[in-house]
Amino acid sequence: QITFGSIFLGNVPVHEEVHRCAGQIHGYKGCVRDFQVNNKELFIIDEAIGGRNVENCNVPICDYHPCLNGGTCTSDAENWFCECPKLYSGKLCQFATCDENPCGNGATCFPKSKRDAVCLCPYGRSGILCSDAINISQPSFSGTDVFGYTSFLAYSIIPNITFYYEFRLKFQLANHHSALEDNLIFFTGQKGQGLNGDDFLVLGLHNGRVVYSYNLGSGTAKIISKPLDLTLNIHVIHLGRYLQKGWLKVDDQKNKTVTSPGRLVGLNVFSQFYLGGYHEYTPELLPKGSRFNNSFQGCIFDVQVRTSMNQEFKSPGTPEGHPNSGRSVGQCKDSPCSLIKCRNGGKCIEGGSTVYCDCRTGWKGAFCTETVSVCEPEHEPPHLCQQGSTCVPLPNGYTCHCPLGTTGTYCEQG
């Protein structure tokens, strides 16, 4: 048993005997925070008999970029904290509303706030959490929602569309202003490159007119109808193409024709057949000449196609009439808000099959039944506790628990 007269922390005084016994000794380089011997804490500076080359530790935590999800790290000699961007919380900004996804049946979860999420429902589902099954015979599209997503249906690739096709469909507008500005009805083509020479077939609305365009690889052909008769409740479209020649018939307007430029005669498409919108936020990846800024607002139904003059018309999809996927598509003339009652002045917002409550200031939760604490980030006005301190609610107001090295009512003083 060996008994030492002193305990050395970090390094030992260098003597000849030490060199002979142990060879070259390197002292510890770093920081020691707590020092305990036999369950007794020794105060490193106050109880030290002597020492040299020791200074206050200042580990630059922010050099290690600990903050996640775009958080900003701030540190001083004693403390550090992450300033989190909107919709993220936690010491490292590691928590988001949709991390524990409350949405069911493959819905798209979008964080409405740090506490609440909105479920953008897939095809065939509706409700706050997309738990309700719905039958869709006449799809209703809601355009682009406030979160930047479009409602859409995606069907399997239409086979044998290369040299000949005919489409028939009907649509009903939800809004005679925004639904006519620059809205997609359907698209199929070489999706994903956004280039000039990509093949595509697209139908949409622009400035109150129907626009039909296609590119066989050597230039875009386009037909623009006369302005729609807005006294009609339902509009009927019949369009087609054989080799380079295309035609468009809208309602009772005269048939219009066009011939595509260049020598190419075949339409080569690789994407699914998109109805009403796109899977992506925005259509930038679509071929040039095929882009509409917004998705459709209203109902599209009785969509039929054939790829030979000798064929019968049939609905797209495999099996026939069944889409592969979709988002925020409801049944025409149905209102999911009729089944939802938002409380405390909340407003029901619907988009196709997607529905949620937009709560008034001071309320939160799926049905606006929960109050927002004075210490929560959604509270208006926000609390004044400085970053790094902890806001603690009181019966009348709140108090700020300050981190080491700060003081003041709001921990604003060093």
Side-chain angles (χ1 to χ4, degrees), residues 82-95:
C82 293
E83 186 175 352
C84 300
K86 190 177 180 182
L87 308 180
Y88 289 96
S89 61
K91 174 74 172 176
L92 304 177
C93 307
Q94 72 272 39
F95 299 123

Side-chain angles (χ1 to χ4, degrees), residues 37-336:
V37 178
N38 293 337
N39 297 319
K40 180 186 177 183
E41 182 178 359
L42 299 179
F43 295 94
I44 297 173
I45 300 299
D46 294 346
E47 298 187 34
I49 297 173
R52 66 169 179 259
N53 296 331
V54 178
E55 60 184 15
N56 195 38
C57 184
N58 183 11
V59 179
I61 294 293
C62 290
D63 288 353
Y64 297 95
H65 307 291
C67 305
L68 305 176
N69 298 305
T72 302
C73 183
T74 301
S75 66
D76 55 28
E78 295 289 342
N79 300 288
W80 65 275
F81 62 89
C82 293
E83 186 175 352
C84 300
K86 190 177 180 182
L87 308 180
Y88 289 96
S89 61
K91 174 74 172 176
L92 304 177
C93 307
Q94 72 272 39
F95 299 123
T97 309
C98 289
D99 286 346
E100 297 180 5
N101 189 349
C103 307
N105 301 295
T108 301
C109 180
F110 189 89
K112 184 175 66 168
S113 72
K114 287 189 177 182
R115 299 289 186 270
D116 293 334
V118 172
C119 300
L120 309 180
C121 294
Y123 175 74
R125 292 284 174 173
S126 186
I128 292 284
L129 299 178
C130 304
S131 54
D132 303 328
I134 57 171
N135 183 41
I136 298 176
S137 57
Q138 293 187 347
S140 171
F141 301 86
S142 55
T144 305
D145 61 31
V146 295
F147 310 112
Y149 287 89
T150 63
S151 60
F152 75 95
L153 291 176
Y155 296 85
S156 56
I157 295 173
I158 299 173
N160 305 317
I161 200 174
T162 307
F163 301 113
Y164 182 93
Y165 58 74
E166 279 186 82
F167 285 89
R168 296 192 304 206
L169 60 91
K170 299 175 183 177
F171 68 84
Q172 186 175 20
L173 296 170
N175 182 305
H176 282 168
H177 175 64
S178 60
L180 285 167
E181 290 178 349
D182 197 27
N183 305 77
L184 176 81
I185 298 177
F186 71 64
F187 167 87
T188 187
Q190 294 178 352
K191 191 168 179 291
Q193 298 298 322
L195 303 177
N196 268 322
D198 289 346
D199 290 19
F200 67 82
L201 160 64
V202 69
L203 181 71
L205 297 168
H206 187 70
N207 292 334
R209 303 167 184 260
V210 176
V211 179
Y212 162 43
S213 299
Y214 59 90
N215 190 332
L216 308 180
S218 55
T220 300
K222 179 182 291 186
I223 302 176
I224 301 176
S225 75
K226 293 182 179 180
L228 290 172
D229 181 357
L230 299 183
T231 64
L232 298 175
N233 186 39
I234 294 175
H235 300 277
V236 180
I237 293 180
H238 185 192
L239 62 88
R241 179 190 64 86
Y242 175 60
L243 300 178
Q244 292 178 294
K245 185 176 181 180
W247 64 91
L248 171 68
K249 179 83 166 64
V250 176
D251 296 332
D252 294 328
Q253 299 180 17
K254 289 184 178 180
N255 189 62
K256 283 191 169 186
T257 62
V258 70
T259 301
S260 63
R263 297 183 178 182
L264 299 178
V265 296
L267 176 68
N268 300 301
V269 300
F270 307 117
S271 81
Q272 300 180 90
F273 179 73
Y274 285 86
L275 189 66
Y278 312 99
H279 184 271
E280 291 84 1
Y281 279 71
T282 53
E284 270 77 21
L285 292 178
L286 297 176
K288 292 182 179 179
S290 70
R291 302 171 189 172
F292 290 85
N293 291 329
N294 304 301
S295 58
F296 189 78
Q297 297 176 34
C299 303
I300 305 175
F301 49 96
D302 293 348
V303 180
Q304 295 185 313
V305 61
R306 68 178 181 181
T307 54
S308 168
M309 292 186 66
N310 301 321
Q311 276 185 348
E312 295 291 325
F313 279 93
K314 65 177 185 178
S315 300
T318 307
E320 183 181 347
H322 290 265
N324 295 337
S325 62
R327 179 177 57 226
S328 298
V329 175
Q331 170 68 4
C332 196
K333 298 182 180 179
D334 280 0
S335 172

Side-chain angles (χ1 to χ4, degrees), residues 348-366:
C348 183
I349 306 295
E350 63 182 34
S353 61
T354 293
V355 61
Y356 65 94
C357 290
D358 187 21
C359 303
R360 294 179 64 184
T361 299
W363 297 95
K364 65 177 182 176

